[in-house]
Amino acid sequence: MPDAPARAAVDGPPHTQAELVMAWGRGWAVSRDTPTPVAVPGGFRIDVGRPGHRVRHVLHTYDADSLGRLGRELTEPGTWIKVSGDRAGLRAALPDAWTLDIAGHLMSAPLTPGAAEPPAPYATRVVAEGGVVVATVLDAYGHRAAIGRLAAAGEFGIVDQVETEPAHRRRGLGSVVMRALCDHAARLGMRTGILVATDEGRALYRALGWTARSDLSGAYLSEDPGPA
């Protein structure tokens, strides 16, 4: 497990892993309309305040002892911990009450202008909604086929919630959304993009020039929603 904010050992901007994680947290909070992250030792906390996701702690710098201690101290259902590290280490450090989330991968890329046209009959729409830029690919009937969000955190552009509807997959629409967001970010002066990808999404982003910086592993204390 990491015990210092070592610089990423990959090509790309000379940002530390800690800088990338903290910027991602600020942008995530804007994208998800949550309170601003609060700095804690080794990372940040966000009081999300939603069913099943009451609060999240995200750590870029920690060791097994401090992580295990945090896992024992946090007991409220709906609490999440995410760490810049592998899932096996997270699982080993936390008490059994914690459930592992799916794998995540922190990725970054230089932001450059240049959008991509979708194949016919699709069209792209980019709009600003408060502090968030939303790129949507629409089908011939004006229905959403793919979507993604962008939020600024200083020089960083945080890409979030990129999704393609099942009926429209394997047509390159996710790439169109990504290019639209990156183009808009670059024109607004953002220099470095950050996102967290699933195993499936990582291949798409790599093909678009994004580089994996670290695993971002998560675990949570399940919250029983009660009777329907």
Side-chain angles (χ1 to χ4, degrees), residues 7-186:
R7 292 192 176 273
V10 290
D11 293 336
H15 299 297
T16 67
Q17 193 166 286
E19 289 169 331
L20 294 174
V21 170
M22 296 300 284
W24 171 71
R26 295 194 303 274
W28 188 93
V30 173
S31 175
R32 306 297 178 102
D33 193 25
T34 73
T36 301
V38 176
V40 300
F44 63 86
R45 184 192 80 241
I46 301 179
D47 296 316
V48 180
R50 294 173 184 166
H53 201 155
R54 302 296 178 177
V55 59
R56 63 160 47 192
H57 292 249
V58 181
L59 303 177
H60 52 72
T61 304
Y62 59 94
D63 58 27
D65 290 340
S66 64
L67 184 55
R69 185 165 55 251
L70 183 65
R72 293 188 296 273
E73 292 172 352
L74 299 176
T75 60
E76 290 297 320
T79 299
W80 285 69
I81 294 176
K82 285 185 176 286
V83 299
S84 183
D86 65 82
R87 297 173 81 237
L90 179 62
R91 175 69 280 170
L94 294 180
D96 291 343
W98 291 83
T99 300
L100 284 186
D101 190 23
I102 61 172
H105 308 279
L106 184 72
M107 306 185 76
S108 68
L111 293 171
T112 56
E117 289 295 324
Y122 296 101
T124 306
R125 181 182 67 197
V126 180
V127 297
E129 300 178 353
V132 180
V133 174
V134 180
T136 309
V137 176
L138 304 172
D139 67 12
Y141 303 98
H143 299 147
R144 187 179 78 188
I147 194 170
R149 299 166 68 82
L150 170 79
E155 70 169 276
F156 300 97
I158 284 63
V159 175
D160 188 34
Q161 294 184 303
V162 177
E163 301 175 5
T164 301
E165 298 296 331
H168 299 278
R169 290 176 182 168
R170 302 192 181 281
R171 303 180 189 182
L173 303 186
S175 296
V176 172
V177 167
M178 288 296 297
R179 283 306 322 151
L181 293 175
C182 291
D183 173 71
H184 201 88

